[in-house]
Amino acid sequence: MNLMLRRPLIAGNWKMYKTVSEAVNTARELVGYAASASVDIMIAPPFTALASVAEIVSGTPVALGAQNLHWKDEGAYTGEISPVMLTDAGCQYVIIGHSERRQFFGETDDTVNAKIRAALAHKLIPVFCVGETEMQRESRETFSVLDKQMVKGLEGVPFNSESHLVVAYEPVWAIGTGKTATTDQIQEVHAFLRSLIDKRLDNPLAKSVRILYGGSVKPENASEIMNMPDVDGALVGGASLSAATFDRIIHF
Ligand code: 13P
Protein backbone atom coordinates (compact mmCIF):
# COMPACT_ATOMS: atom_id res chain seq x y z
CA MET A 1 0.00 0.00 0.00
CA ASN A 2 1.41 3.37 -0.95
CA LEU A 3 0.36 5.64 1.89
CA MET A 4 2.01 8.70 0.38
CA LEU A 5 -0.19 8.62 -2.68
CA ARG A 6 -3.23 6.71 -1.63
CA ARG A 7 -4.98 6.76 1.71
CA PRO A 8 -6.56 3.34 2.19
CA LEU A 9 -10.31 3.03 1.75
CA ILE A 10 -12.35 0.41 3.56
CA ALA A 11 -15.84 0.20 2.10
CA GLY A 12 -18.82 -1.75 3.36
CA ASN A 13 -21.33 -2.99 0.81
CA TRP A 14 -24.48 -3.81 2.71
CA LYS A 15 -26.15 -5.35 -0.37
CA MET A 16 -29.87 -6.10 0.17
CA TYR A 17 -29.68 -6.14 3.93
CA LYS A 18 -31.09 -3.86 6.65
CA THR A 19 -34.31 -1.95 7.12
CA VAL A 20 -34.04 1.80 7.67
CA SER A 21 -33.92 1.47 11.46
CA GLU A 22 -31.36 -1.33 11.33
CA ALA A 23 -29.20 0.71 8.95
CA VAL A 24 -29.42 3.79 11.15
CA ASN A 25 -28.45 1.81 14.25
CA THR A 26 -25.47 0.19 12.55
CA ALA A 27 -24.32 3.51 11.09
CA ARG A 28 -24.59 5.20 14.49
CA GLU A 29 -22.48 2.50 16.11
CA LEU A 30 -19.93 2.65 13.30
CA VAL A 31 -19.54 6.43 13.58
CA GLY A 32 -18.43 5.89 17.17
CA TYR A 33 -15.75 3.42 16.09
CA ALA A 34 -14.67 5.43 13.04
CA ALA A 35 -13.44 8.46 14.96
CA SER A 36 -10.12 6.76 15.72
CA ALA A 37 -9.56 5.11 12.32
CA SER A 38 -6.72 6.18 10.06
CA VAL A 39 -8.33 5.03 6.81
CA ASP A 40 -11.12 6.42 4.65
CA ILE A 41 -14.39 4.66 5.37
CA MET A 42 -17.47 4.28 3.20
CA ILE A 43 -20.69 2.38 3.69
CA ALA A 44 -23.22 1.59 0.99
CA PRO A 45 -26.63 0.88 2.52
CA PRO A 46 -29.65 -0.04 0.39
CA PHE A 47 -31.34 2.90 -1.37
CA THR A 48 -34.21 3.08 1.12
CA ALA A 49 -31.80 3.86 3.96
CA LEU A 50 -29.52 6.36 2.20
CA ALA A 51 -31.18 9.58 3.32
CA SER A 52 -31.54 8.46 6.95
CA VAL A 53 -27.97 7.15 7.14
CA ALA A 54 -26.74 10.40 5.53
CA GLU A 55 -28.03 12.29 8.55
CA ILE A 56 -26.06 10.02 10.89
CA VAL A 57 -22.76 10.08 9.01
CA SER A 58 -22.76 13.70 7.88
CA GLY A 59 -19.72 15.53 9.29
CA THR A 60 -18.10 12.25 10.43
CA PRO A 61 -15.25 10.23 8.87
CA VAL A 62 -17.81 7.81 7.41
CA ALA A 63 -18.75 8.56 3.79
CA LEU A 64 -21.92 7.40 2.12
CA GLY A 65 -22.12 5.35 -1.04
CA ALA A 66 -24.85 3.81 -3.17
CA GLN A 67 -24.79 0.33 -4.65
CA ASN A 68 -25.87 1.25 -8.18
CA LEU A 69 -27.18 4.13 -10.29
CA HIS A 70 -28.75 4.87 -13.66
CA TRP A 71 -26.74 6.96 -16.08
CA LYS A 72 -29.50 9.45 -16.90
CA ASP A 73 -30.27 12.44 -14.67
CA GLU A 74 -34.01 11.74 -14.78
CA GLY A 75 -36.63 10.17 -16.99
CA ALA A 76 -39.22 7.46 -17.42
CA TYR A 77 -37.06 4.62 -16.08
CA THR A 78 -39.24 2.84 -13.56
CA GLY A 79 -37.31 1.50 -10.61
CA GLU A 80 -34.08 3.34 -11.35
CA ILE A 81 -32.16 5.91 -9.29
CA SER A 82 -30.20 8.75 -10.90
CA PRO A 83 -26.86 10.32 -9.97
CA VAL A 84 -28.70 13.55 -9.16
CA MET A 85 -30.82 11.68 -6.63
CA LEU A 86 -27.75 10.06 -5.08
CA THR A 87 -25.84 13.29 -4.58
CA ASP A 88 -29.03 14.88 -3.24
CA ALA A 89 -29.34 12.01 -0.75
CA GLY A 90 -25.79 12.69 0.49
CA CYS A 91 -23.76 10.10 -1.44
CA GLN A 92 -20.12 10.64 -2.30
CA TYR A 93 -19.43 7.20 -3.77
CA VAL A 94 -21.29 4.73 -5.94
CA ILE A 95 -20.49 1.06 -6.50
CA ILE A 96 -20.65 0.24 -10.22
CA GLY A 97 -20.57 -3.10 -12.00
CA HIS A 98 -20.67 -5.35 -8.96
CA SER A 99 -20.56 -8.98 -10.09
CA GLU A 100 -23.98 -9.60 -8.56
CA ARG A 101 -25.39 -6.93 -10.87
CA ARG A 102 -23.51 -8.38 -13.83
CA GLN A 103 -24.67 -11.90 -12.95
CA PHE A 104 -28.30 -11.35 -11.94
CA PHE A 105 -29.38 -8.00 -13.40
CA GLY A 106 -27.95 -7.87 -16.90
CA GLU A 107 -25.18 -5.36 -16.18
CA THR A 108 -22.76 -5.26 -19.11
CA ASP A 109 -19.44 -3.55 -19.77
CA ASP A 110 -21.40 -0.96 -21.78
CA THR A 111 -23.82 -0.09 -18.99
CA VAL A 112 -20.91 -0.05 -16.55
CA ASN A 113 -19.15 2.43 -18.82
CA ALA A 114 -22.23 4.68 -19.03
CA LYS A 115 -22.59 4.58 -15.26
CA ILE A 116 -18.94 5.46 -14.60
CA ARG A 117 -19.25 8.47 -16.92
CA ALA A 118 -22.47 9.58 -15.23
CA ALA A 119 -21.00 9.19 -11.76
CA LEU A 120 -17.92 11.26 -12.61
CA ALA A 121 -20.03 13.92 -14.31
CA HIS A 122 -21.88 14.32 -11.01
CA LYS A 123 -18.72 14.22 -8.88
CA LEU A 124 -19.60 10.86 -7.39
CA ILE A 125 -16.59 8.59 -6.90
CA PRO A 126 -17.15 5.36 -8.81
CA VAL A 127 -16.13 2.13 -7.11
CA PHE A 128 -15.69 0.20 -10.33
CA CYS A 129 -15.88 -3.56 -9.74
CA VAL A 130 -14.10 -6.13 -11.85
CA GLY A 131 -13.43 -9.82 -11.32
CA GLU A 132 -13.31 -13.24 -12.90
CA THR A 133 -15.48 -16.28 -12.26
CA GLU A 134 -14.07 -19.54 -10.97
CA MET A 135 -14.38 -21.10 -14.42
CA GLN A 136 -12.54 -18.21 -16.03
CA ARG A 137 -9.73 -18.52 -13.49
CA GLU A 138 -9.49 -22.26 -14.01
CA SER A 139 -9.28 -21.81 -17.77
CA ARG A 140 -6.54 -19.20 -17.30
CA GLU A 141 -8.65 -16.34 -18.60
CA THR A 142 -8.33 -14.14 -15.50
CA PHE A 143 -6.12 -11.50 -17.09
CA SER A 144 -7.95 -11.34 -20.41
CA VAL A 145 -11.30 -11.05 -18.61
CA LEU A 146 -10.00 -8.26 -16.37
CA ASP A 147 -8.36 -6.50 -19.29
CA LYS A 148 -11.65 -6.46 -21.20
CA GLN A 149 -13.66 -5.28 -18.19
CA MET A 150 -11.18 -2.49 -17.52
CA VAL A 151 -10.77 -1.33 -21.12
CA LYS A 152 -14.50 -1.37 -21.88
CA GLY A 153 -15.51 0.02 -18.52
CA LEU A 154 -13.17 3.00 -18.86
CA GLU A 155 -13.58 3.54 -22.61
CA GLY A 156 -13.71 7.25 -23.42
CA VAL A 157 -14.13 8.14 -19.76
CA PRO A 158 -12.98 11.73 -19.41
CA PHE A 159 -10.60 12.05 -16.49
CA ASN A 160 -9.34 15.34 -15.21
CA SER A 161 -7.58 16.53 -12.13
CA GLU A 162 -10.83 16.51 -10.19
CA SER A 163 -11.78 12.97 -11.10
CA HIS A 164 -11.46 10.25 -8.53
CA LEU A 165 -11.71 6.60 -9.31
CA VAL A 166 -11.66 3.51 -7.15
CA VAL A 167 -11.29 0.06 -8.71
CA ALA A 168 -12.40 -3.00 -6.75
CA TYR A 169 -11.05 -6.41 -7.65
CA GLU A 170 -13.59 -8.95 -6.53
CA PRO A 171 -12.99 -12.48 -7.79
CA VAL A 172 -16.53 -13.82 -8.18
CA TRP A 173 -15.54 -17.16 -6.63
CA ALA A 174 -14.45 -15.43 -3.41
CA ILE A 175 -17.63 -13.42 -2.82
CA GLY A 176 -19.71 -14.66 0.07
CA THR A 177 -18.08 -18.08 -0.17
CA GLY A 178 -15.57 -17.84 2.64
CA LYS A 179 -12.89 -18.61 0.01
CA THR A 180 -10.43 -15.72 -0.03
CA ALA A 181 -7.93 -15.35 -2.81
CA THR A 182 -4.38 -15.91 -1.56
CA THR A 183 -2.31 -12.80 -0.99
CA ASP A 184 -0.12 -13.83 -3.94
CA GLN A 185 -3.17 -14.08 -6.21
CA ILE A 186 -4.42 -10.71 -4.97
CA GLN A 187 -1.07 -8.96 -5.40
CA GLU A 188 -0.59 -10.43 -8.86
CA VAL A 189 -3.96 -9.14 -10.07
CA HIS A 190 -3.63 -5.76 -8.36
CA ALA A 191 -0.24 -5.17 -9.96
CA PHE A 192 -1.77 -6.08 -13.33
CA LEU A 193 -4.70 -3.69 -12.78
CA ARG A 194 -2.32 -0.94 -11.76
CA SER A 195 -0.32 -1.38 -14.96
CA LEU A 196 -3.55 -1.17 -16.98
CA ILE A 197 -4.52 2.03 -15.17
CA ASP A 198 -1.08 3.52 -15.74
CA LYS A 199 -1.43 2.79 -19.45
CA ARG A 200 -4.98 4.13 -19.67
CA LEU A 201 -4.47 7.27 -17.60
CA ASP A 202 -1.04 8.50 -18.29
CA ASN A 203 -1.08 11.35 -15.81
CA PRO A 204 -0.63 11.77 -12.05
CA LEU A 205 -4.23 10.74 -11.61
CA ALA A 206 -3.31 7.12 -12.35
CA LYS A 207 -1.15 7.07 -9.23
CA SER A 208 -4.07 8.20 -7.10
CA VAL A 209 -6.47 5.45 -8.21
CA ARG A 210 -7.11 3.14 -5.29
CA ILE A 211 -7.47 -0.57 -5.96
CA LEU A 212 -9.51 -2.41 -3.35
CA TYR A 213 -9.78 -6.13 -2.82
CA GLY A 214 -13.17 -7.70 -2.12
CA GLY A 215 -14.22 -11.27 -1.43
CA SER A 216 -14.62 -12.76 2.04
CA VAL A 217 -12.58 -10.05 3.76
CA LYS A 218 -12.92 -10.43 7.53
CA PRO A 219 -11.12 -9.26 10.67
CA GLU A 220 -8.92 -12.36 10.57
CA ASN A 221 -7.48 -11.73 7.10
CA ALA A 222 -7.78 -7.95 6.70
CA SER A 223 -4.31 -6.98 7.82
CA GLU A 224 -2.53 -9.58 5.68
CA ILE A 225 -4.47 -8.44 2.60
CA MET A 226 -4.12 -4.73 3.31
CA ASN A 227 -0.37 -5.07 3.67
CA MET A 228 0.13 -6.20 0.08
CA PRO A 229 1.97 -3.49 -1.89
CA ASP A 230 -0.74 -2.87 -4.49
CA VAL A 231 -3.76 -3.20 -2.21
CA ASP A 232 -5.23 0.17 -1.23
CA GLY A 233 -8.21 -1.03 0.73
CA ALA A 234 -11.08 -3.47 0.88
CA LEU A 235 -14.66 -3.79 -0.28
CA VAL A 236 -16.38 -5.79 2.41
CA GLY A 237 -19.75 -7.51 2.17
CA GLY A 238 -20.91 -9.81 4.96
CA ALA A 239 -18.37 -8.63 7.53
CA SER A 240 -19.51 -5.01 7.13
CA LEU A 241 -23.04 -5.70 8.36
CA SER A 242 -22.03 -5.70 12.01
CA ALA A 243 -20.41 -2.43 13.13
CA ALA A 244 -18.32 -4.28 15.73
CA THR A 245 -16.93 -6.67 13.11
CA PHE A 246 -16.37 -3.90 10.57
CA ASP A 247 -14.59 -1.92 13.29
CA ARG A 248 -12.00 -4.68 13.53
CA ILE A 249 -11.42 -4.37 9.79
CA ILE A 250 -11.14 -0.56 9.73
CA HIS A 251 -8.62 -0.87 12.55
CA PHE A 252 -6.72 -3.68 10.83
P1 13P B 1 -18.27 -10.76 1.00
O1 13P B 1 -17.33 -9.92 1.80
O2 13P B 1 -19.53 -11.12 1.72
O3 13P B 1 -17.58 -11.94 0.39
O4 13P B 1 -18.76 -9.84 -0.24
C1 13P B 1 -17.82 -9.19 -0.99
C2 13P B 1 -18.53 -8.22 -1.86
O5 13P B 1 -19.23 -8.61 -2.78
C3 13P B 1 -18.41 -6.78 -1.56
O6 13P B 1 -18.90 -6.02 -2.61
Side-chain angles (χ1 to χ4, degrees), residues 13 15 98 100 170 174-177 214-217 235-239:
N13 174 8
K15 306 192 179 182
H98 191 281
E100 286 151 14
E170 297 205 309
I175 296 177
T177 58
S216 300
V217 174
L235 181 53
V236 186

Side-chain angles (χ1 to χ4, degrees), residues 54-67:
E55 284 180 29
I56 309 291
V57 301
S58 165
T60 78
V62 180
L64 190 66
Q67 300 175 20

Side-chain angles (χ1 to χ4, degrees), residues 130-148:
V130 295
E132 82 287 1
T133 63
E134 188 155 37
M135 217 206 267
Q136 289 164 336
R137 178 164 279 269
E138 279 169 4
S139 40
R140 300 179 185 280
E141 290 168 30
T142 299
F143 294 104
S144 60
V145 166
L146 293 170
D147 185 74
K148 177 167 168 279

Side-chain angles (χ1 to χ4, degrees), residues 1-12 34 37-42 61-63 93 125 127 165-167 190 194 207-213 222-223 225-236 246 249-252:
M1 180 172 25
N2 191 326
L3 287 172
M4 296 298 288
L5 291 167
R6 300 181 292 274
R7 190 173 148 89
L9 169 66
I10 311 267
S38 54
V39 296
D40 287 348
I41 300 165
M42 180 272 267
V62 180
Y93 291 84
I125 303 176
V127 179
L165 174 71
V166 175
V167 173
H190 280 229
R194 179 145 313 280
K207 303 268 175 280
S208 70
V209 173
R210 288 178 289 189
I211 308 177
L212 315 185
Y213 168 77
S223 119
I225 293 170
M226 293 291 297
N227 281 317
M228 299 313 286
D230 283 300
V231 174
D232 307 308
L235 181 53
V236 186
F246 197 49
I249 299 178
I250 63 177
H251 286 97
F252 70 93

